[in-house]
Amino acid sequence: MASTLCRDLSPLLQLIGQCLNIFKISLPLILIIIGIFDIGKVAISNKSEDIKKNMKNLFYRIAVAIVVFFIPTLCMVVFGFVGKFDEVVADSGIDYETCYDCLFRPSKENCCNAVKTAEEHS
């Protein structure tokens, strides 16, 4: 059972990987667009309170955009470090590469083949 764990979960892992890719791109873009509107408000506003408030919100959104963009990358790095423990991975019998590919590279051939195989066995 453990040797086919990643293959069996590959459709779900691929879906999660695709969602990660979408969020990694769209959320920072949305936050940047909202930030542009904040800059427009600051440019139009004459009140120093509004300028300070909108600039604080803008910097907060920029920080959130950076964090959202780099969380998947950080996960890939951590997952990559875990993958370096070849003995642990080999002893577990789990097809680690399939899990990794489906989560972080969902369109890669290894993941697509695992999804097809899992769907055939279902």
Side-chain angles (χ1 to χ4, degrees):
M1 176 67 185
S3 63
T4 62
L5 176 70
C6 290
R7 186 194 71 201
D8 295 340
L9 293 176
S10 61
L12 176 64
L13 294 174
Q14 186 181 41
L15 178 64
I16 293 169
Q18 290 169 342
C19 290
L20 277 175
N21 283 339
I22 290 169
F23 287 137
K24 186 176 177 180
I25 295 169
S26 65
L27 288 180
L29 285 176
I30 291 169
L31 291 172
I32 289 169
I33 291 170
I34 292 172
I36 290 171
F37 285 119
D38 285 345
I39 291 173
K41 288 180 191 177
V42 168
I44 294 172
S45 178
N46 291 329
K47 298 179 184 175
S48 64
E49 288 179 9
D50 289 342
I51 292 172
K52 289 179 184 178
K53 179 183 166 190
N54 286 331
M55 290 305 288
K56 184 178 178 181
N57 286 340
L58 174 64
F59 289 124
Y60 176 73
R61 288 187 178 126
I62 289 171
V64 169
I66 290 169
V67 168
V68 166
F69 184 79
F70 284 111
I71 283 177
T73 305
L74 180 63
C75 290
M76 284 178 61
V77 169
V78 170
F79 212 151
F81 285 144
V82 171
K84 302 298 182 207
F85 299 111
D86 292 333
E87 293 176 18
V88 174
V89 172
D91 290 343
S92 69
I94 296 173
D95 184 13
Y96 166 79
E97 289 297 322
T98 302
C99 287
Y100 183 86
D101 286 342
C102 286
L103 279 174
F104 300 114
R105 297 177 282 203
S107 60
K108 191 169 179 180
E109 184 178 352
N110 184 26
C111 179
C112 293
N113 290 340
V115 170
K116 288 177 187 175
T117 305
E119 290 172 353
E120 290 172 0
H121 286 31
S122 296

